Structures are given as structure tokens and as C-alpha cells.
Amino acid sequence: MYRSKTFGKMLLSIFLICLCFLGIGIFIILYSKNAFSDQLHDTMDAKVRFWQEQLDQEISTLLVEQSSLLDDRDIVNLHMLWDSNSIYEQTEMIKSVSQRLLNVKVLHEIATSVKVYFPERSMVISADAPIYDEYEEDMYYDFEQISLQDNGSIYLTVYFPLKLRSDIFSAPPHYYIRASITPYDMQYVLADMLGEAEGILFLADGRGNVFSGSEKNSADTAEQYPVMEDVVQKINKDKESGILYASKDGFATGRKLKETNVWLIYCYPDAVVKEPLHFFSVLLGCLAFLTLVLLGIYAFYAGKVFARPLNRILKAMEGDGKNKD
């Protein structure tokens, strides 16, 4: 019965039809899966771009505030008229400068400390206690306004007079104002930025080393995200774009902060991503299984309803043909 040419042709035709519908179903499922991945990337990138602009704006505003203090009357007087002022006048100027620095720090929660340094007098005035102190070593970091330290701290410094290039002047600046941003305080800044959004934020240097994040022990937390290995490779390969996407063993999006070698990385939870992607895989498997089941049912039904009577008719026709002979 099942070996007849007629039944074989019927089975082949229905198999081709099922195969076409299966192909259409696979295409729709894979297209939906890719569309979901693209939409997820777009959503993540929009968030990272917004957070990057927030940090860039905060850093730029803080530098502008520091620059405005370069012409502060008390700071200039501390530099020019320190020796000619009485101890009382010196104390009042120190208190006034410290208050100005404190105002800047309060307005910018990103800043851990704000200090003004006077290299010629080896003294420093801070927004925090002690507001007046002495120091021995000056670090100018090639007179860069933004400098990333090995421990992950970011220094924002404005110099007076302004040093456009470190090789132009060999003399140290008369004074400079430096705000420091530590990884510890950045943890709370990133956590506030993230808010109720799912996932985690990391800050990494130009080699992909994580030095801060929206959770404690950020370096250890980053190791729990396999996608970070792909992120590190892409950070080391990136030279100009300042944007990266990673979807190997997870989803991550990153953007480089302007004028710094710091990357802001947003990692999405694997569980949130895998659940809908797993749904697409299950749906694809169910579609293939359903196609095989329907093909089997049709083969049994066609064999019983069509092929068997058709075989009888063909045998009867063959028998009549022999009798005539």
C-alpha cells in the first residue's frame, strides 16, 4: 500500500507543502527573535547615551565651576598677599576659600573632594576638614584637566596660569584647583543613575579594567557577566567610535565618556534576556514537531482512506486487463 507510486507522489506533495509552511514559520520566528534583539540593543543604547550625557555634563559643569574660582579674590590674595596679611586676615581668607570650595562640592555630588593647591607655599586648602594643610609633593599629570589614576580615581584640575602644553613652561603653576572623583563615590552616583532599571552599570578604563560600578565589589561582579569578556576585547579594539555592542553570552552596551579614557558599560541581566529568547527556541521546536506529527497523521490517513481503495481499483483494473487477454 505505502509502496505505490501514487501514494508516494501524494506523500511527497504534502511533504513539500509542510516544508514550505515550516520554512515560513522558521523565518517568522527568527525574524521576530532578531527584531527583539535589535530592539533590546536600541533600548540599552538609548539609556547608556542618556547616562553618558549626564556624566559628561556633570564633569564639564564641575570644570567650569573650578575655572570660575581661578579669579576668586581670596584665592588671588592668598597667592599674592599671603606674607603681607596678618594671621587673622589669612585665617579669614582660608575660611572664605574653603566655603567656596564646599559650595562647589555640594552642588556636584560626583566630587569626592575639591582642593586648591599653592605649590610655592606648599599649602592646600580643602572643602573638608582640615580646611588648611601642608603638603610636600605636587603632581601635575602633564597639566591635563582630566586624569584617570591607576586606582580608578578621576582628577579634574584647572591651573593658573593655564598650561596649554606641558613642554611650553618648565615652571610650576602658581596654584591649581583639583576635584577628585573616587570609585567608591561613583558607585552611589551610578546606582542613582540606574534607578529602577534592570541590569548593572560599570566604569572601565581604556584596557577594559573595571574600577567602579553600581554595585559593591564591581570587579568581582563583572566576572559574573560572561559578556564582559567580549566587552574587554572590543574596548581594546576600539580606536575612534567610542561605542560598543556585545551580545556574546549576554547583552552589553558601552560608550566612552568625552575627553576621558573611561567607558560606561551597561550589562543587561541574562535571565531577563534568555527568557524571551528561550521562548522563541521552544516555539521553533514545537513548530518542527507539529509539522512532523501532522505529516505522520496525514500519511496514515491518506494511506487508509485514499491509497488502499486506490490500490484495490488498480488491482481490479489489472485483473480485468488480464482476463481480456
Side-chain angles (χ1 to χ4, degrees):
M1 176 180 67
Y2 293 103
R3 295 181 180 178
S4 65
K5 294 181 179 180
T6 304
F7 179 76
K9 292 178 180 179
M10 293 175 58
L11 189 61
L12 178 61
S13 62
I14 194 64
F15 174 76
L16 293 176
I17 293 174
C18 290
L19 189 63
C20 290
F21 280 106
L22 178 63
I24 294 173
I26 292 175
F27 173 78
I28 294 175
I29 292 174
L30 293 179
Y31 178 81
S32 301
K33 182 178 180 181
N34 292 332
F36 170 79
S37 300
D38 293 340
Q39 184 178 10
L40 179 61
H41 271 305
D42 292 340
T43 302
M44 293 174 63
D45 183 60
K47 290 181 179 180
V48 174
R49 184 170 63 252
F50 174 73
W51 293 326
Q52 175 214 1
E53 291 174 353
Q54 274 189 309
L55 286 177
D56 284 333
Q57 181 64 32
E58 185 71 17
I59 291 175
S60 298
T61 306
L62 181 53
L63 280 172
V64 170
E65 292 281 352
Q66 292 174 240
S67 299
S68 66
L69 289 178
L70 290 177
D71 296 327
D72 182 78
R73 183 182 62 182
D74 288 326
I75 292 180
V76 174
N77 288 339
L78 281 173
H79 166 62
M80 301 292 296
L81 306 175
W82 174 262
D83 295 328
S84 61
N85 288 325
S86 64
I87 296 178
Y88 173 79
E89 291 173 329
Q90 292 174 354
T91 303
E92 290 299 314
M93 286 190 294
I94 290 173
K95 290 168 59 178
S96 176
V97 170
S98 178
Q99 185 62 44
R100 290 289 306 276
L101 298 176
L102 181 59
N103 292 338
V104 173
K105 181 184 175 183
V106 170
L107 289 174
H108 302 276
E109 63 175 1
I110 195 173
T112 304
S113 66
V114 183
K115 300 178 181 181
V116 54
Y117 296 79
F118 297 89
E120 297 171 355
R121 305 190 184 281
S122 297
M123 70 177 186
V124 57
I125 300 174
S126 174
D128 306 304
I131 63 173
Y132 171 75
D133 202 356
E134 295 183 358
Y135 72 102
E136 297 180 356
E137 185 178 7
D138 291 294
M139 298 297 294
Y140 305 129
Y141 305 106
D142 293 329
F143 297 96
E144 295 181 349
Q145 284 193 325
I146 303 176
S147 175
L148 177 62
Q149 306 302 300
D150 293 336
N151 62 359
S153 295
I154 301 174
Y155 288 164
L156 309 180
T157 312
V158 293
Y159 300 90
F160 182 84
L162 177 64
K163 305 288 186 177
L164 298 179
R165 285 172 44 194
S166 60
D167 58 346
I168 294 179
F169 302 105
S170 59
H174 296 313
Y175 55 86
Y176 55 95
I177 302 171
R178 175 169 294 159
S180 62
I181 305 171
T182 64
Y184 178 81
D185 288 322
M186 280 303 302
Q187 171 194 329
Y188 298 100
V189 174
L190 295 176
D192 290 340
M193 291 171 54
L194 189 63
E196 299 297 328
E198 296 177 296
I200 185 172
L201 285 173
F202 295 110
L203 286 179
D205 61 20
R207 294 171 294 179
N209 299 319
V210 174
F211 59 85
S212 186
S214 56
E215 296 182 3
K216 294 182 178 179
N217 302 320
S218 55
D220 296 335
T221 305
E223 295 180 356
Q224 301 175 12
Y225 286 79
V227 70
M228 286 299 293
E229 295 183 4
D230 192 24
V231 169
V232 172
Q233 293 178 1
K234 292 189 175 182
I235 286 178
N236 286 287
K237 291 180 180 179
D238 185 275
K239 301 300 180 183
E240 297 180 357
S241 67
I243 304 174
L244 66 84
Y245 303 97
S247 56
K248 183 179 179 180
D249 298 325
F251 283 85
T253 300
R255 283 180 174 262
K256 185 186 291 186
L257 301 183
K258 295 179 180 178
E259 300 181 4
T260 67
N261 199 26
V262 176
W263 283 84
L264 178 65
I265 309 297
Y266 179 37
C267 291
Y268 212 67
D270 290 345
V272 178
V273 177
K274 288 180 179 179
E275 184 175 346
L277 294 182
H278 179 68
F279 168 77
F280 287 118
S281 300
V282 172
L283 186 61
L284 184 61
C286 291
L287 180 62
F289 177 76
L290 181 61
T291 302
L292 293 176
V293 171
L294 292 177
L295 185 61
I297 293 175
Y298 174 80
F300 176 78
Y301 180 77
K304 185 175 181 181
V305 176
F306 298 106
R308 185 176 297 174
L310 185 61
N311 283 338
R312 291 175 180 175
I313 295 173
L314 292 175
K315 288 181 179 179
M317 293 176 64
E318 291 176 358
D320 290 341
K322 291 179 180 180
N323 293 331
K324 291 180 179 180
D325 292 339

